[in-house]
Amino acid sequence: MAVNCDENKKVREIFDAAIKLESEIENDSNSSSSISHQEKTTRCIQMLEDVTRMISELGLFSTNEDVDEVITSDLRYFLLPALLGYLTLRRIESLVSRLDLLKIADVYYKDFLTRCQDYKIAKVEAKEKDDSDACTNSTDLAQMTRRREQKIQRFREQKANEVRLAELSKLVESEHSDEEVRREFYLVTIKRWISTALEDLDSIHMEKGMLEQMADSRLNQSNVKAPDKPRPCLEPLKPIIITRDKVQAAVFGAGYPGLPTYSVEEFVQQRYGDMQIDANKSKSLMDRAMNPNASAEDRENKAVVKDYAEEKDDLEALKKAREMDDWKDDHRRGYGNKMNRS
């Protein structure tokens, strides 16, 4: 097939530069998510896409041909869809979802395997695996055994191809390499990428299934709304007026007929009833642990009792308070505390 020599040379130069860049990406020590790694990946994909368009315009391949009819220098271009699928899997895009990248890589790899099948380079299958097949394979022991044997055979072939490629690479790089050596080098390289494509397709199918299942689960959760819990109906607080005695209660009650009025004695009687409040009563640690608000309640009870006693002019309480004041006058603070002091 006659093609323009200048265009063919340009295609070959771009392709060789892309192959070199792909080798750098594969051997890059940086993280695959680093900016430099992703920039190289994107640039390499663009170069390979340009080569693909140029080859399509040149019409280098036809489905009516066999691999024996393809000239040696054009065999390298069989790797284009495989390389694009490989690099697409390693892209990390914020604007493109992972599921979309998997679908693109799946198309590239299947196109590569179909082309190898059409040109009789190797016998491969690139059929889609549906859920029913996966379910049958998981329960059919014979099918599982057959798949395991295929993977073992594929692994052995891949190792043999890598060993042969290492030998042919040295011969191809020499100045005296002949066409048969270069042709074998390209064909072995294509077979190695067939093994890589089959392995990546298995991974793609598994990851696609997981992502689709996660997407369906999120969709179902968004459609199902949690039932609204009924809010408890709280009785509104009623304001009250507390007075010193019944006389003031009667006065305030006359002035504010809408508000209930209580004297201090009535308020204590209503809240605590006939319960005897002992201000000096102690509580155990267990009681305090079971009721964290006990201290606050004790302080409130003491304040109520104190106010009640003062309002009733409790002589005994006044006597104790006066005695305590006299004792404080005669004894300075810290009196008698001789612990650990010479």
Side-chain angles (χ1 to χ4, degrees):
M1 182 178 296
V3 296
N4 191 300
C5 295
D6 294 336
E7 293 181 356
N8 201 357
K9 181 179 179 181
K10 183 179 179 181
V11 171
R12 185 166 61 251
E13 290 176 353
I14 298 175
F15 181 81
D16 291 342
I19 289 294
K20 183 179 179 180
L21 183 57
E22 187 274 332
S23 180
E24 294 179 4
I25 294 171
E26 191 171 356
N27 299 321
D28 192 359
S29 59
N30 295 327
S31 173
S32 60
S33 60
S34 64
I35 297 177
S36 60
H37 188 93
Q38 288 299 313
E39 287 178 350
K40 291 180 180 179
T41 302
T42 303
R43 187 165 67 253
C44 189
I45 290 176
Q46 292 174 351
M47 295 170 67
L48 293 173
E49 288 176 345
D50 292 339
V51 174
T52 301
R53 284 191 292 267
M54 296 172 70
I55 288 178
S56 178
E57 293 175 358
L58 293 173
L60 295 181
F61 299 106
S62 174
T63 56
N64 297 326
E65 296 178 341
D66 292 338
V67 67
D68 296 334
E69 302 177 37
V70 180
I71 61 177
T72 302
S73 60
D74 291 345
L75 288 175
R76 68 184 78 182
Y77 303 131
F78 276 96
L79 300 175
L80 283 171
L83 293 170
L84 286 170
Y86 174 80
L87 294 172
T88 301
L89 287 179
R90 280 139 190 84
R91 286 177 61 188
I92 300 176
E93 292 284 345
S94 58
L95 301 179
V96 183
S97 66
R98 178 62 180 174
L99 185 59
D100 292 335
L101 292 175
L102 291 175
K103 292 178 180 179
I104 295 173
D106 184 81
V107 173
Y108 279 133
Y109 274 136
K110 287 179 178 178
D111 178 67
F112 168 67
L113 295 178
T114 301
R115 186 171 300 180
C116 292
Q117 177 75 16
D118 294 339
Y119 279 82
K120 298 181 176 58
I121 298 176
K123 293 182 179 180
V124 292
E125 285 188 36
K127 65 179 181 179
E128 184 74 24
K129 298 180 181 179
D130 55 10
D131 296 338
S132 61
D133 291 340
C135 181
T136 304
N137 292 338
S138 63
T139 56
D140 189 355
L141 183 60
Q143 184 71 11
M144 293 174 63
T145 303
R146 186 161 51 252
R147 291 182 60 188
R148 180 175 179 273
E149 292 176 352
Q150 291 176 354
K151 286 189 175 183
I152 293 175
Q153 181 65 23
R154 190 189 309 161
F155 178 78
R156 291 174 179 173
E157 292 177 355
Q158 186 173 3
K159 290 299 180 181
N161 290 332
E162 290 177 355
V163 173
R164 184 55 180 165
L165 273 178
E167 298 173 354
L168 293 173
S169 297
K170 299 178 181 179
L171 298 175
V172 170
E173 292 174 357
S174 65
E175 298 179 356
H176 304 288
S177 61
D178 56 9
E179 184 177 353
E180 291 184 1
V181 173
R182 292 197 303 271
R183 190 174 187 85
E184 183 182 1
F185 173 77
Y186 291 135
L187 290 175
V188 174
T189 302
I190 293 172
K191 292 178 180 179
R192 184 178 74 87
W193 274 100
I194 289 176
S195 300
T196 301
L198 292 173
E199 291 293 333
D200 284 351
L201 279 175
D202 290 340
S203 301
I204 288 172
H205 293 151
M206 292 179 60
E207 190 174 354
K208 279 175 60 179
M210 293 174 59
L211 293 176
E212 290 173 352
Q213 186 175 3
M214 292 172 60
D216 293 340
S217 177
R218 287 194 296 266
L219 182 61
N220 293 334
Q221 290 179 0
S222 62
N223 293 333
V224 177
K225 295 183 179 179
D228 296 335
K229 295 183 179 180
R231 298 181 62 183
C233 183
L234 299 178
E235 184 178 355
L237 297 176
K238 296 180 179 181
I240 62 174
I241 295 177
I242 300 177
T243 61
R244 288 181 177 271
D245 49 31
K246 292 184 178 180
V247 177
Q248 287 185 349
V251 173
F252 279 102
Y256 302 91
L259 299 179
T261 57
Y262 301 94
S263 65
V264 175
E265 183 178 2
E266 291 172 341
F267 176 74
V268 173
Q269 182 66 25
Q270 184 194 39
R271 179 159 185 176
Y272 301 103
D274 297 331
M275 180 180 63
Q276 297 295 328
I277 302 174
D278 187 358
N280 297 324
K281 183 179 179 181
S282 62
K283 294 191 176 182
S284 64
L285 293 176
M286 180 61 71
D287 294 336
R288 293 180 181 274
M290 296 298 293
N291 186 8
N293 299 323
S295 298
E297 293 179 359
D298 290 343
R299 290 194 296 269
E300 183 181 356
N301 293 339
K302 290 178 182 179
V304 172
V305 172
K306 183 178 179 181
D307 292 342
Y308 181 74
E310 291 178 355
E311 295 297 335
K312 296 294 293 180
D313 295 332
D314 191 337
L315 297 178
E316 184 179 355
L318 291 175
K319 182 180 179 181
K320 288 183 179 181
R322 289 168 182 169
E323 290 176 354
M324 178 58 69
D325 292 338
D326 295 337
W327 188 87
K328 289 182 179 179
D329 292 339
D330 297 335
H331 300 83
R332 61 185 180 86
R333 185 176 182 181
Y335 173 83
N337 185 8
K338 303 298 184 178
M339 182 65 67
N340 296 329
R341 296 177 62 183
S342 58

